[in-house]
Amino acid sequence: MAAGTADRAETPRAASRNDAGLPRRLAERLQGEAWFDPFTRGRYATDASIYQITPAGVVLPRSADDIAATLKVAAEHGVPVILRGGGTSQNGQPIGTGLVVDCSRHFNRVLDYDAEAGIVTVEPGVVLERLNARVKADGWFFPVEPSTATRCTIGGMAGNNSCGARSLRYGTMRDNVLAMRALLHDGEPFAFSLTGNDATGVAGSPRAEDLAARMLRLAQDHRDEIEARYPKVQRRVGGYNLDALVTDRPNLAHLLVGSEGTLAATTAVTLKLSRLPAHRVMGVCHFPSFRAAMETTQHIVALDPVAVELVDHNVLVLGADIPLFRTTLADITRGQPNCLLLAEFAGDDLAALKRDLRRLDACMADHGFPGAVVEVIEPARQKPVWEVREACLNIMMSMKGDAKPVSFIEDCAVPLEHLADYTDAVTEVFTKHGTRGTWYAHASVGCLHVRPILDMKRGGDVAKMRAIAEETSELVRRYKGSYSGEHGDGISRSEFVEPLFGATLARAFEAVKDGFDPQNHLNPGKIVRPLRMDDRSLFRFKPDYAVTAPARTALDWSDWGGFGGAVEMCNNNGTCRKLAGGAMCPSYRVTKEEQHLTRGRANSLRLAISGQLGTDAFTSPAMKRTMDLCVSCKACRRECPTGVDMAKMKVEFLHHYHARHGLPLKDRLIGLMPHYAGVAARLAPLLNLRDRYPVLAAASERVAGLSAKRSLPVWRRPWKEVGEPAHPSDVTGDFRDVILFGDTFNRAFERENLEAAERVLVAAGYRLHRVFPAKGRRPLCCGRTWLASGQTDRARAEAKRTLDALLPYVRAGARVVGLEPSCLLTFRDEFLALLPGEEAAVLAERSLLIEELLMRDLSAGRISLPFVHQGGRLAHLHGHCHQKSFGMMGTVEAMLRAVPGLDVRPIESSCCGMAGAFGYGKETVDVSLAMAELSLFPALRGAGPDDLVVADGTSCRHQIHDGLGRDAVHVIRVLDEALVPRH
């Protein structure tokens, strides 16, 4: 068995009386890994539901043989087995008391691909987005595209019978699965596929053939009941798919689809691909009321769109207050609609699709809404519209406090003719129980997502959940719909299988389960013989749940309801598991380990601060190892649907950890850098010898933990402001008054950036005010070097010193402008947590990065900059993580494009990997370089020798120089060199 990270080497703790020899037996049998330490088990105890069940252990298989061995060993010890993909299920499917088998880590290869026929066979751990990236070049895609496509796995999608926004055209997972290979409960292999034309549809032992024959007979025996009781809606994923076996040519694999790992362990899935349409167009339909939209949906669907998705009033109002969505919503909305329906048409003939939009407009007019369609034809406009739609859940789930939108009835589906009455009735149920919900998603198939807002820490709200579930189930039956329309049964809905399908079919489902898994070893408690959905012992927040640590926080978490509230914002949706696009989560993209994931860290913190991992777990070495690879990129702050801010949590954690264990020399040296930078500059010839002599580099690694593989920044004569200190009375209050904040890194190592900034600001007509601290001459500092190691008291003192110096000027109307994103943006982020109150808020509001300042005033026509045409020179732009977190990269790009003749090429990349001091550590240097190799380094290797490489971050520039041997420059250097020479 492979070795793992240090915290996993702890003494295994048995979860039941039968598993004492389980770790040893698995170690003997597996090529992959198995973990039994409390932290790993805790990280796999949850999915995106409200539930938490601690497993006996976690297995990361490398092959089908590993899964077979796991099944056999587990059976010997009487331990259940639960197959898991991305862990994004809404209803508790991939959690349980047995062995959780995570297929996503290693078991994720494409096994066979016929590019001509459009058929592909994959292992269950393959992520959908990665599969589609693989087949796109041949004009194919797998059309079942749920909103979790960036992290959901094919195995999980097959287990839940996933659907996605375009199921109206392409169907559900079941409609696109051709065959499946799997293992029975004891590890025996078999395969199911299409029957008929001399094909039995089964491969394997006589036992598998007998099992298939029994399932076909069972379905035939219940044909009348199946016809009478199965809902006649596309979105029906509850129970088992016995209806798939009463067709003319049944595909036995479809019985496994939607079975949630309760029947067999999938080892390979064969999929039917679809051709990528050449064009897509969208019509944004405006409605004055929610009911009007629901009544009109069926008529829009009659026009044969690919998708019809709802964006309701709550999302429109909340989204308009979010800068990320404000521009898009302004582009696609006219007036003040109550809600929107997004109707998409797709095909190879663009002219025909434009005619479809005209038919849509006519349809809306026929039903009383003339001129209510905004056409979105350009792909570049469609993408952000879909991002708004996909952000509906994000907007809802960002709600702070204990009451959250809870998933348990969110994907009921009803026939379109009943959709308006059904949604009205459910809203009345919410009102009756004193809550509300927000509707969104798949109007096209009558499957609207809704989550009532409840507090799962309160028994009263748990009782409301049960009542709402029962009353909604009754409504679904009344309207002949499906209680599980997309996300499966799991724990939340398995109890409602029998009320929907009736006792006869419920017993037939039990016969299916018993035929495949007579000992009930595979994911027990789901679909048949269910766990109770309101059993609080299964909840993430059990009745005795309480946050006990830390006793006192170092940062202000009042906006989150305390540190515990901030940690609990993670609902396990798994967005941080995406492997492409955006920046989150760079360490996971390298290691693929749940431990090194925003979700994994948040779960570990939650379990630790609530005492579920033992005494002092919060400040334990295992917790430290869990946090070590967080590079504080802040990507989660922006990209996590619920706004989990792991970078800030790491500061809080390190404060308490170092208070207990002491501070390493490396952290002391880095923290004190702003204090000794002036002295170091005078000793530059001596200090810079370190990188010239390997023996000195080795010594620095041994003594201070600074990797000998790395060069260090070169100490130089520092930048100094010219002129006398200003006075607040010098500020006139117009836009020209600025204070150039010189951060430690640019002062000490790259003063030419600050000198360039002075020239550009003066050329633009700004007045520079020189501000110095009230006491002493040491330059002002943001405190970032102390925050990086959790030295919050030192950081707070530095923040107070800087705030006191800048505040009088800011109050007089001056703006503070800086170059280094990690430093300047500390004023807008951590200062508010270190020094909560109006004063820090005033400084935050008036602090800008230099490209923000220039672009804002250029756009307003307040300044002009005379630039020389650059003749088409290429500029490859890499964004600093903190710029991305604050949504600034568009501004950086726009500022560079203001230079005529400069061809700007943004690099889509995650963290560069240097991340301040992270890339210099001897323990983290390899991970740092691996992060750079994900996308940044490959992109720059293709850059020409005369191309510009632009990166605002000091650490980014050093990573590029250290790893590729080429120089990157700050954007201000580009602007300075492009200025028309002054005579």
Side-chain angles (χ1 to χ4, degrees), residues 154-162 173 180 256-261 527:
I154 296 299
M157 292 171 64
N160 283 351
N161 192 10
S162 294
M173 194 74 182
M180 296 178 73
L256 300 182
V257 175
S259 65
E260 302 182 3
I527 301 180

Side-chain angles (χ1 to χ4, degrees), residues 22-61:
L22 198 56
R24 177 183 55 80
R25 290 283 290 125
L26 286 172
E28 294 170 351
R29 300 289 300 276
L30 296 180
Q31 290 182 321
E33 305 141 53
W35 306 109
F36 294 84
D37 65 281
F39 272 74
T40 300
R41 292 165 57 224
R43 284 188 280 268
Y44 282 87
T46 51
D47 60 353
S49 71
I50 61 175
Y51 302 104
Q52 175 181 301
I53 305 173
T54 304
V58 177
V59 174
L60 281 67

Side-chain angles (χ1 to χ4, degrees), residues 408 433-435 453-454 458-469:
F408 62 99
H433 293 285
T435 188
I453 299 168
L454 299 168
R458 299 175 53 192
D461 276 17
V462 174
K464 287 183 182 180
M465 180 180 75
R466 162 66 70 176
I468 291 171

Side-chain angles (χ1 to χ4, degrees), residues 876-879 884 889 905-910 935-937 939-940 949-950 960:
H876 304 273
L877 173 63
H878 166 71
K884 295 171 186 174
M889 289 312 299
R905 305 284 180 88
I907 299 170
E908 186 173 324
S909 61
S910 184
S935 52
L936 176 60
F937 281 4
L940 290 180
V949 177
V950 185
I960 292 167

